[in-house]
């Protein structure tokens, strides 16, 4: 964050609090929330709160790729990261990370980004081959998931997605719907959820083996 933006943030903080407390996103969020809850907030307070909110968004945007990187270093698969990010698939989680990742974190030049995209596509092809080689396993698992009932609205939709993919010809198309259904099955059908996680981990290994 450049010096001028940090000065703006300090001015906004001074405007919204009577005494100095912590200078971090959590404290800033409390200040913004206090102004948002006022029915008769004065214009200068509202503008100061909007300025702080912009800084909070920037700070949070920096935290997310760092946390994703920490999860990957800890061995967490993209399939497990996806629900935490609120996205439906491993691929969506990776794409979100690539969008959020700042230059200089892992790839910082155009050439490196091109190489990373080429590696990603090679990984997609490897996962497709793995899925087709394990078609019987994946179709059995998908059939078991399709037979599940008694779930909530979102859970039913995820199961319907598996059923739709099961009717297709390409077994690789089952991977994303299965990953989407996994979190909805965790409480009522933990065995199926564990199998989905295991499948996701194996597919991830197939992807990463292309880079070694």
């Amino acid at each position: 964050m450049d010096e001028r933006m940090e000065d703006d943030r300090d001015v906004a903080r001074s405007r919204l609090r009577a005494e100095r407390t912590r200078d971090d996103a959590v404290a800033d969020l409390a200040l913004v929330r206090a102004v948002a809850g006022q029915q008769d907030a004065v214009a200068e307070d509202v503008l100061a709160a909007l300025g702080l909110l912009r800084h909070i968004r920037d700070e949070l945007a920096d935290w997310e790729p760092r946390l994703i990187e920490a999860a990957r270093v800890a061995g967490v698969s993209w399939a497990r990261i996806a629900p935490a990010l609120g996205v439906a698939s491993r691929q969506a989680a990776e794409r979100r990370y690539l969008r959020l990742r700042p230059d200089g974190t892992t790839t910082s030049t155009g050439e490196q980004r091109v190489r990373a995209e080429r590696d990603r596509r090679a990984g997609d092809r490897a996962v497709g081959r793995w899925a087709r080689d394990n078609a019987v396993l994946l179709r059995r698992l998908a059939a078991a998931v399709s037979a599940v009932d008694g779930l909530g609205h979102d859970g039913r939709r995820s199961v319907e997605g598996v059923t739709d993919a099961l009717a297709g010809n390409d077994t690789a198309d089952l991977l994303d719907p299965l990953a989407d259904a996994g979190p909805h099955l965790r409480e009522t059908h933990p065995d199926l959820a564990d199998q989905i996680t295991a499948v996701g981990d194996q597919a991830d290994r197939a992807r990463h083996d292309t880079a070694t």
Side-chain angles (χ1 to χ4, degrees):
M1 185 179 299
D2 66 41
E3 187 174 341
R4 183 174 60 81
M5 290 180 66
E6 191 61 41
D7 288 344
D8 290 344
R9 191 172 188 175
D10 288 338
V11 169
R13 285 168 172 160
S14 299
R15 168 79 196 180
L16 296 177
R17 66 188 178 202
E19 61 183 32
R20 189 170 185 81
T21 55
R22 295 182 306 169
D23 289 342
D24 59 25
V26 175
D28 289 348
L29 184 59
L31 295 173
V32 171
R33 184 176 182 180
V35 174
Q38 295 176 15
Q39 296 294 328
D40 56 351
V42 299
E44 291 303 319
D45 285 356
V46 174
L47 291 174
L50 286 171
L52 273 185
L53 187 59
R54 173 170 53 84
H55 289 291
I56 293 169
R57 283 198 303 266
D58 290 343
E59 193 164 340
L60 292 179
D62 182 55
W63 290 354
E64 187 170 341
R66 293 186 185 186
L67 289 171
I68 294 171
E69 288 172 5
R72 293 295 293 154
V73 169
V76 181
S77 70
W78 285 110
R80 291 180 62 195
I81 291 172
L85 297 179
V87 298
S89 67
R90 297 185 307 281
Q91 288 84 354
E94 289 188 81
R95 285 194 296 269
R96 180 174 178 83
Y97 169 65
L98 288 172
R99 287 196 304 269
L100 293 174
R101 181 183 58 199
D103 287 344
T105 303
T106 52
T107 61
S108 58
T109 69
E111 181 181 351
Q112 288 172 316
R113 286 189 181 277
V114 169
R115 187 180 307 121
E117 178 63 16
R118 187 184 305 124
D119 290 345
R120 185 189 68 77
R121 291 178 181 176
D124 286 346
R125 289 193 294 271
V127 169
R129 287 192 298 271
W130 178 88
R132 288 183 280 277
D133 289 343
N134 292 272
V136 173
L137 167 69
L138 288 173
R139 290 193 175 277
R140 264 185 205 155
L141 178 56
V145 171
S146 295
V148 170
D149 57 15
L151 299 177
H153 177 265
D154 290 343
R156 289 197 305 272
R157 288 190 62 183
S158 70
V159 168
E160 289 169 0
V162 173
T163 303
D164 290 343
L166 188 57
N169 295 323
D170 191 349
T171 312
D173 291 340
L174 289 168
L175 292 172
D176 282 355
L178 284 170
D180 188 29
H184 300 290
L185 300 170
R186 176 58 59 191
E187 184 174 346
T188 57
H189 296 77
D191 290 344
L192 285 177
D194 287 344
Q195 290 179 57
I196 290 172
T197 298
V199 161
D201 289 343
Q202 291 176 57
D204 280 346
R205 281 197 292 274
R207 177 185 300 280
H208 297 141
D209 284 348
T210 65
T212 59

